[in-house]
Amino acid sequence: MSTEKLTRYRRTKADIAEDIRKAAVDQVLKRGFSASMVTEIIRRAKIEPPVFYHRYKDLDEFYSEFVKGYDYWFSDIADKAMKSSDNPKDQFANLMSGLQEALKEKSVMQELLRWEVAEGNDTTKRTATLREMFTLPLAEKYNTLFKDTCVDFVALASLLIGGLYYLNLHKERSSFCAIDMTKEEGLERISKSINTFTEIMFSFLEHRDTKEDIAERMRAKGIDEQTIRECLLM
């Protein structure tokens, strides 16, 4: 029998960290955050338990670090949408389409949303709060844009975003209102509806601009403000 010793590959600290991360991704995609087990992550990463616990006190502490790699996923989608066009309507449509595209496939981000809804802890509260902070500048932008209309655009957008979240998280259980998000037909219906929603909401801006133009022309003819208001409300 050969006495030649097998050469073992020695992993660096960075290698081990990446192996742990990949093992966690596999577990989260398979079982979700709540049902994942630290012993399985250790096994998949091919490390000894002391190696894991030397780095993290427990699974909660690991998750706290692990999800930071996904903190900016919504912000990244928003940045891409804002850079796609100078037109606010196109930016919003691209933002919603980008969100749907990111959520349609099973992903850690999708499981993170599911975890946030199912369980309240320091990590889920932090990730949810951070995402809210990222949306505030966008909300302020659209609040300002629609301030002179009868439309609470941000509230309506929140219903659309919440709907996209739910449709994608729910699709493995059942269709919703006969829309099957696991099939191309269902995805296409949602995609078209995002564009329809955008067109309807931004039509209120076009209507507002038309009224402002009419008001300016009436002022130029010396018509008083009370009469202008009464005419535009008819």
Side-chain angles (χ1 to χ4, degrees):
M1 182 179 295
S2 172
T3 58
E4 181 182 355
K5 293 183 178 179
L6 296 176
T7 301
R8 297 185 64 185
Y9 170 65
R10 294 182 62 84
R11 289 180 290 180
T12 66
K13 291 182 178 180
D15 290 334
I16 293 172
E18 178 62 12
D19 287 342
I20 293 173
R21 188 195 69 80
K22 288 179 179 178
V25 169
D26 289 341
Q27 270 292 280
V28 166
L29 293 180
K30 181 180 179 181
R31 303 174 63 89
F33 279 91
S34 297
S36 291
M37 296 170 26
V38 68
T39 52
E40 187 61 20
I41 292 174
I42 289 171
R43 186 188 70 79
R44 285 177 176 268
K46 297 180 180 179
I47 59 174
E48 296 297 324
V51 175
F52 182 90
Y53 289 110
H54 178 71
R55 294 163 177 262
Y56 310 103
K57 180 179 68 176
D58 52 27
L59 186 59
D60 288 340
E61 185 175 284
F62 168 70
Y63 277 162
S64 181
E65 290 299 313
F66 173 69
V67 299
K68 288 179 181 178
Y70 302 91
D71 279 346
Y72 299 93
W73 70 270
F74 186 90
S75 179
D76 290 342
I77 293 170
D79 286 344
K80 185 177 180 180
M82 294 304 107
K83 292 175 181 176
S84 66
S85 171
D86 293 327
N87 186 306
K89 180 171 75 171
D90 292 339
Q91 289 174 343
F92 180 77
N94 291 337
L95 173 59
M96 294 299 101
S97 296
L99 178 60
Q100 170 55 31
E101 187 66 23
L103 290 174
K104 73 176 185 179
E105 302 294 343
K106 191 172 181 63
S107 64
V108 173
M109 290 88 75
Q110 194 183 95
E111 291 305 318
L112 182 56
L113 290 173
R114 200 188 309 275
W115 191 32
E116 288 175 3
V117 173
E119 187 175 333
N121 56 53
D122 290 342
T123 301
T124 56
K125 289 177 182 177
R126 183 188 67 80
T127 57
T129 301
L130 193 57
R131 194 177 313 112
E132 172 69 6
M133 289 174 61
F134 291 148
T135 65
L136 290 180
L138 277 176
E140 183 59 31
K141 171 182 176 176
Y142 286 108
N143 270 331
T144 301
L145 192 61
F146 281 81
K147 67 177 182 179
D148 294 325
T149 73
C150 62
V151 175
D152 188 340
F153 186 86
V154 172
L156 289 168
S158 71
L159 292 174
L160 176 57
I161 293 170
L164 291 177
Y165 283 172
Y166 185 78
L167 285 170
N168 285 282
L169 296 179
H170 178 270
K171 66 184 179 183
E172 295 176 3
R173 302 293 178 265
S174 168
S175 59
F176 188 81
C177 292
I179 297 176
D180 189 344
M181 296 291 284
T182 66
K183 295 182 178 179
E184 193 61 37
E185 179 186 359
L187 294 172
E188 184 64 22
R189 289 180 66 183
I190 295 302
S191 178
K192 288 181 179 179
S193 295
I194 287 173
N195 292 330
T196 301
F197 177 95
T198 303
E199 290 294 335
I200 292 172
M201 292 301 100
F202 276 84
S203 70
F204 284 88
L205 281 183
E206 296 167 3
H207 185 53
R208 180 202 62 182
D209 293 340
T210 300
K211 282 191 172 184
E212 288 178 352
D213 291 341
I214 294 172
E216 284 301 317
R217 290 197 295 270
M218 293 176 75
R219 291 188 188 100
K221 292 182 178 294
I223 300 174
D224 64 275
E225 290 296 325
Q226 180 62 31
T227 302
I228 291 174
R229 284 196 294 272
E230 289 175 356
C231 289
L232 293 181
L233 288 174
M234 293 177 62

